[in-house]
Every structure is written in structure tokens, then in C-alpha cells.
């Protein structure tokens, strides 16, 4: 059987294609999307060639959907179940997963399969490996559009908070307040951050950052962000920095604004140059106890279920991220191009099917 899908035709080229409906293995599920969202990563993939050449690869890795078929060994899911699909769908039997790094199952970053090593979710149907381990049931009463933010934005933003190891009362700076950084702001607030700086400039994002718990907004277009942070902290800097956006200077700025003993959590995609610069003196000539951690979001059902409980209990509201809602698959391209052009009023588009 054939299906329609929106795909990367080659670097810099997208379009509609027809493909066979994927086959279901014994541990797997076939899912049809209910709501999907394009991601900044899709833009890096298509227009920057971030993962290399791909031909007719279906795009997308953020979806909530309905199970239409399960393999013979799947225990906990059945056709008709509504599920949250994480962007990262590891092989749970791999040695990397057993070592605690499921996102690197099969090789560095290889837990990211959708729209990378296999077809993504912008299709009438898509395949999910190890369905019991990778899919979470959508809780009753949770809006599927809001729940799509659990695929990538919430787990990635929150992982920045984990990597920076935010503790009660810590001063924190989140650099970049697109949808990922906004979820870092929300996650840092949930973890008990004290003073919470948010770096960005789009008015929508600034307002959302305040609502998610930022105490201070730093506009990088109005002066050096290190100077602004040092001025507001009596020259001391912050305990934690989360990087969720920026440019080639951001890493050095993060090191400069960090206190000795602090941690940097990076979830930003570093897209150019062969090396990252670490300023020697600001890094204590190698002895400053300024730790730098960077990681791809963890996936998996347990993680998704726990994050979904934050929506279910009302502790986290992702709906303010959804600035642009579309109804119907035919709007897929429009939604993706919004992510490419980033109009000033955009946080995140969602397509409801
Ligand atoms: P956006 O483009 O929506 O947001 C980027 C943010 O960075 C904006 O707030 C922007 O400010 C800010 N910014 C831009 N330039 C600078 C600068 N020079 N200094 C400080 N801040 C700056 O991106 P997303 O939130 O969608 O994604 C963020 C990153 O996370 C991307 O690189 C994406 O690829 C990556 N990502 C990583 C994943 C992971 O698992 N590790 C998964 C998904 C995404 P302004 O308000 O002016 O626009
Ligand atoms: Zn994404």
C-alpha cells in the first residue's frame, strides 16, 4: 500500500512523495499522526546539510499519533491507542543503552532515528521500533497539540537543565529562548532555580520566558551578554548556564559568565567550524572547576510518561509555545518554512491532522 509523505528530496530541497506504508516488525508499531511539529533540526537537516545528503527521506520527528498496528511481541499497546512519540527512539538492548546512554545506541547520536537514519513522522503512517519501550500513552484530557511538545522541546530543554545540574536557589542563565530554551527556563524553575536569566530578543519569547519563571531578560542585541550578566551579579556570574541557542561566541561567553564550580549544559546544535573555543584564563587555565556537558535528549517510554505527567497535573503548560496552528496535512510545508524563516512572532508551529 502507498502513502503520501513530506520529504527531504536532497540538500536544500523538500517536497511531497509517495512511499510504501512501512512494515511492522514483531516488537514494533505502525502509527498514524494526529499532530506533528517541524523542528529547527529539520531546518539544519535540509538547508544546512547537517547530517549529510539524504534522498527522499521523510522529515519530522515530533508527533502524537494513533497506533494502527502492533507486532506479535508487543504487550502494552494495541491499535487505537493514542501515543506520544519521542524524537529519540533507542535500541534498548544495545550496550550503549545498558551503559545509561540510550540516545547513543548503535553509535554516537544514533538513537536519533526519525528523519536521520530512517523515515520520519510527516507521513500518513510511520514506523516505531521497540514500541513498548519507546511509546507512551497520551493521558486522557491532554491536548494532542500541546503533547507534541513532549517529543522534543520539553525533553531537550529539560535535559539542558539536567546537564547543568540545577539545584535549589542556583543562579541560572539560559542562553536562547526559542521553544527549546523556553523549556529550559520552565525546567530550571521547576528544579528550584533562584535568579533565572533568559537571553533572547523576540517579544513573544521574552514574554513566555517571564511566564515560565525568568526573573531577568538579557537582550543579546543590546550589548555583550557576559557584561550584562556580570553587572547584574556584582561581577560574580552565575552557578549554571544552559545553552539552547546562540552563535560561535556563545560557548566562550558561557564559560566567562560561569562561577568556578559551575556547570554548563549545552543542548544547542553547534553547526559550524571544526573547533569550539574555550577561553583559557576564564576557564581558570584548566583549573577553574567549570564543567562543560553537552547531550542529546534521552528518549524512551518511562521518560515520556514522567514528562506527560507534568502536563496532566498542570505543572507545565506547553500550549503557549504553539503560536501557529494549522489544520490538515497540506499545511506541512508552510509550517516547516515558518521554522526556516523564523518570523518574529513565531515560537513553534503545530499541524493537526
Ligand atoms: P530557535 O532558533 O527558536 O531559538 C534560538 C534562540 O537563540 C532564540 O531565542 C534566539 O534569540 C537566540 N539567539 C540567537 N542568536 C543569539 C546570540 N548570538 N546570542 C544569544 N542568543 C541568541 O531554536 P530552537 O529553540 O528551536 O532550538 C535551539 C537549538 O536546539 C537548535 O540549535 C536546535 O538544533 C537544537 N536542538 C537540540 C536538540 C537536542 O536534543 N540536543 C533537539 C532539538 C533542537 P531571538 O529571540 O533573537 O530569536
Ligand atoms: Zn525536534
Amino acid at each position: 500500500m502507498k502513502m503520501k509523505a513530506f520529504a527531504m528530496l536532497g540538500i536544500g530541497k523538500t517536497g511531497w512523495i509517495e512511499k510504501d506504508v512501512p512494515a511492522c516488525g514483531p516488537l514494533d508499531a505502525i502509527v498514524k499522526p494526529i499532530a506533528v511539529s517541524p523542528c529547527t533540526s529539520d531546518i539544519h537537516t535540509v538547508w544546512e546539510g547537517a547530517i549529510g545528503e539524504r534522498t527522499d527521506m521523510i522529515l519530522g520527528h515530533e508527533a502524537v499519533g494513533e497506533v494502527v498496528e502492533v507486532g506479535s511481541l508487543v504487550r502494552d499497546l494495541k491499535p487505537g491507542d493514542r501515543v506520544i512519540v519521542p524524537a529519540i527512539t533507542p535500541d534498548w538492548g544495545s550496550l550503549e543503552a545498558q551503559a545509561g546512554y540510550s540516545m547513543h545506541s548503535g553509535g554516537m547520536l544514533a538513537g536519533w532515528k526519525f528523519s536521520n537514519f530512517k523515515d520520519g513522522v510527516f507521513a500518513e503512517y510511520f514506523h516505531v521500533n521497540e514500541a513498548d519501550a519507546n511509546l507512551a500513552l497520551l493521558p486522557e484530557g491532554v491536548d494532542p497539540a500541546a503533547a507534541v511538545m513532549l517529543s522534543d522541546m520539553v525533553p531537550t530543554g529539560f535535559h539542558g537543565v539536567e546537564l547543568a545540574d540545577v539545584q535549589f536557589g542556583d543562579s541560572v542563565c539560559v542562553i536562547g529562548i526559542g521553544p527549546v530554551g523556553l523549556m529550559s527556563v520552565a525546567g530550571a524553575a521547576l528544579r528550584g532555580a533562584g535568579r533565572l536569566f533568559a537571553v533572547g530578543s523576540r517579544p513573544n519569547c521574552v514574554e513566555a520566558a517571564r511566564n515560565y519563571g525568568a526573573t531577568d531578560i538579557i537582550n543579546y542585541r543590546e550589548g555583550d551578554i557576559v557584561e550584562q550578566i556580570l553587572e547584574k551579579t556584582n561581577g560574580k556570574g552565575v552557578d549554571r548556564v544552559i545553552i539552547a541557542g546562540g552563535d560561535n561566541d556563545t560557548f566562550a561567553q558561557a564559560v566567562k559568565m560561569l562561577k568556578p564550580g559551575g556547570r554548563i549544559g549545552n543542548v544547542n546544535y553547534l553547526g559550524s567550524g571544526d573547533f569550539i573555543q574555550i577561553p583559557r584564563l576564564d576557564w581558570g587555565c584548566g583549573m577553574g572547576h567549570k564543567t562543560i556537558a553537552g547531550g542529546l535528549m534521552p528518549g524512551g517510554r518511562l521518560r515520556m510518561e514522567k514528562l506527560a505527567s507534568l502536563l496532566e497535573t498542570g505543572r507545565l503548560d506547553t500550549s503557549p509555545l504553539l503560536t501557529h496552528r494549522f489544520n490538515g496535512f497540506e499545511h506541512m510545508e508552510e509550517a516547516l518554512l515558518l521554522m526556516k524563516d523564523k518570523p518574529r512572532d513565531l515560537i513553534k508551529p503545530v499541524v493537526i491532522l
Side-chain angles (χ1 to χ4, degrees), residues 260-333:
R263 286 181 70 93
I264 296 171
N266 180 76
V267 289
N268 192 32
Y269 161 74
L270 305 174
S272 64
D274 288 331
F275 297 96
I276 305 302
Q277 304 266 7
I278 300 175
R280 184 177 63 86
L281 293 179
D282 296 290
W283 207 44
C285 305
M287 296 175 285
H289 288 105
K290 296 188 178 187
T291 305
I292 301 173
L296 180 67
M297 65 161 263
R301 169 178 168 188
L302 179 64
R303 171 100 171 164
M304 283 304 116
E305 286 182 354
K306 288 191 176 187
L307 295 178
S309 81
L310 296 177
L311 261 59
E312 203 181 0
T313 54
R315 284 195 200 285
L316 176 69
D317 180 7
T318 53
S319 60
L321 300 180
L322 307 176
T323 49
H324 293 64
R325 286 176 187 250
F326 297 93
N327 285 296
F329 209 20
E330 65 276 16
H331 296 289
M332 206 54 251
E333 181 163 26

Side-chain angles (χ1 to χ4, degrees), residues 40 44 152 177 180 201-202 220-221 244 267-269 342:
T40 303
H44 297 313
D152 188 354
I177 47 171
V180 173
S201 78
R202 283 181 268 161
Y220 66 96
R221 296 173 194 262
V267 289
N268 192 32
Y269 161 74
K342 299 254 161 95

